[in-house]
Amino acid sequence: MKRRSKKKYPQLEGMTLEERHKMIAYVVNTLQPLYEKYNGQNGYGHLDKYNIGIVDCFWSAFFDDHELLKDIEANDCYNLPNLTKLIQQIKQDERFVNKQTGIMEPWNWSPETSIPRDTPI
């Protein structure tokens, strides 16, 4: 899967990486329940064909920044309930965990080599 080049956002230039991670966490905490409520069974995007159930902007964010998930976990998901639930679901999905290390590495999963699951996370 070919990734788009990163866009430049001048309004983010003054933010630290930690501030950006926290901002993403709050956005995902807000968007994930809306995604789950309004997405429906058929889904709408590339991820939904594989029953992943993660709002696309979060998937893109941690694909581009592998430290994002570590930082969110290190900050106890900023005590955000929807984000905490989502991180737990990602950790339970065997496709996203390195079998040798037990560490979450969802960016190593490729939908092109995967068989869709019967139940969403």
Side-chain angles (χ1 to χ4, degrees):
M1 170 178 4
K2 187 176 180 182
R3 301 289 300 165
R4 299 177 303 224
S5 63
K6 292 184 183 182
K7 295 180 182 176
K8 302 281 184 197
Y9 296 98
Q11 61 272 35
L12 300 178
E13 285 183 17
M15 296 178 73
T16 66
L17 187 58
E18 183 179 323
E19 290 170 331
R20 290 179 190 195
H21 287 176
K22 189 171 185 178
M23 179 182 66
I24 291 169
Y26 275 83
V27 168
V28 171
N29 189 66
T30 302
L31 291 179
Q32 185 66 27
L34 295 171
Y35 170 86
E36 291 172 5
K37 181 175 181 178
Y38 295 108
N39 196 36
Q41 290 187 340
N42 295 329
Y44 70 92
H46 182 69
L47 299 176
D48 297 319
K49 290 192 297 188
Y50 302 97
N51 293 318
I52 292 178
I54 299 171
V55 66
D56 292 27
C57 65
F58 189 43
W59 182 264
S60 296
F62 64 67
F63 245 88
D64 291 337
D65 178 0
H66 295 181
E67 297 300 313
L68 175 61
L69 290 176
K70 290 179 194 173
D71 194 32
I72 287 174
E73 283 194 294
N75 285 288
D76 200 24
C77 295
Y78 301 99
N79 294 314
L80 299 170
N82 300 318
L83 181 62
T84 300
K85 177 184 165 194
L86 178 59
I87 295 295
Q88 289 170 347
Q89 289 173 334
I90 293 171
K91 289 171 105 171
Q92 292 174 4
D93 192 321
E94 63 190 36
R95 298 174 294 179
F96 306 139
V97 177
N98 182 316
K99 290 174 181 41
Q100 295 174 333
T101 65
I103 296 172
M104 270 194 314
E105 295 177 355
W107 45 86
N108 286 328
W109 177 76
S110 171
E112 285 79 18
T113 61
S114 176
I115 299 170
R117 294 177 1 154
D118 292 335
T119 56
I121 61 170

